[in-house]
Amino acid sequence: MSFSNKFRIKAGQKVNLTEIDPDARDGHHDKESAGAEVAELGRGMEALQFRLYAENRRSLLICLQAMDAAGKDGTIRHVIGPLNPQGTRVVGFKVPSAEEAAHDFLWRIHRQVPARGEIVIFNRSHYEDVLVARVHKLVPKAVWSERYQLINDFERTLAAGGTRILKFFLHISPEEQLERFKERLDDPARHWKISLADYTERELWPKYQEAYADVLERTSTAEAPWFVVPANHKWYRNLVVSKIIVEALEAFDLSLPAPTVDLDEIRRRFHAARERLDKKDREAKG
Ligand code: AMP
Ligand code: MG
């Protein structure tokens, strides 16, 4: 069984998040060795990205979803950080702007999906439209309940075009969230990150967990699987997400494209250019 499979939600699988331990680290060693492993995985990821970019045929879309302070930003910094910025984009989705809200909920999403060769990371995503929209009754049930199917169809369209989609739910406990809120409160450098919504949303924890359970059950598909990542330990979270991304890139079985030119002809031109330069050099030296 691949490493990824341990965290993967099977299509249609009923999910009870209270039965998935956010503290898990599966006998995994300590923070230091995990950090070294994440760095090593980062180097592997970059090498694979190089081939993905060179191949210019397929792409990778990574969706990050989680409760506040679960570590979406930290995951991006640690896991995605080593990638080549040329070929990578991070897109955050906030409360829709007036223009976005005037369109269907997938409009703003579709225009940000990766082009061939690209890796794109969504910090929040179209899933907000069946999470916050459902919990806060921003739209009637008749509207949000249709969206699971619309999302599956949309993701199938992307997959058919060569986009691999990985969706991560960073799973933390309410105790860990409060601990992180405390760290923010104790650190003046992080006060800017605090919002009142952190606390009002926290009150709705069970409703969110219920909404997440439905998302996981109804939108984990072969072409766009969900992974539930135990995220109380940041180092374990980084390790799991890194490994799953590397496994997905390896599964692409990427090979470098064949040259588009006649290399013998290019070599002849190279030597001719070299000779001209050497000749000029000799003449200059007199
Ligand atoms: P943050 O990620 O902390 O910057 O917060 C972004 C906020 O935008 C969160 O409170 C999200 O729930 C909210 N948000 C993102 N997408 C949507 C959406 N489609 N509808 C309503 N609120 C959203
Ligand atoms: Mg927030």
Side-chain angles (χ1 to χ4, degrees), residues 68 72-73 93-96 105 108 123-129 132-133 138 193 195 197-198 201 208:
D68 289 306
K72 295 189 296 295
D73 295 344
F93 291 100
K94 308 272 181 189
V95 177
F105 79 104
R108 66 173 182 161
N123 184 341
R124 300 186 190 270
S125 65
H126 41 307
Y127 286 96
E128 291 293 324
D129 293 285
V132 66
L138 303 179
K193 265 203 152 187
S195 73
D198 292 345
E201 295 305 279
Y208 270 106

Side-chain angles (χ1 to χ4, degrees), residues 38 77 80 115 121 129 234:
V38 168
R77 200 150 32 87
I80 311 303
I121 299 90
D129 293 285
K234 296 173 183 175

Side-chain angles (χ1 to χ4, degrees), residues 141-159:
K141 180 172 184 181
V143 172
W144 61 254
S145 59
E146 289 286 339
R147 288 179 173 168
Y148 302 96
Q149 189 59 48
L150 294 170
I151 288 173
N152 288 339
D153 291 343
F154 169 66
E155 292 180 352
R156 198 148 41 82
T157 307
L158 300 184

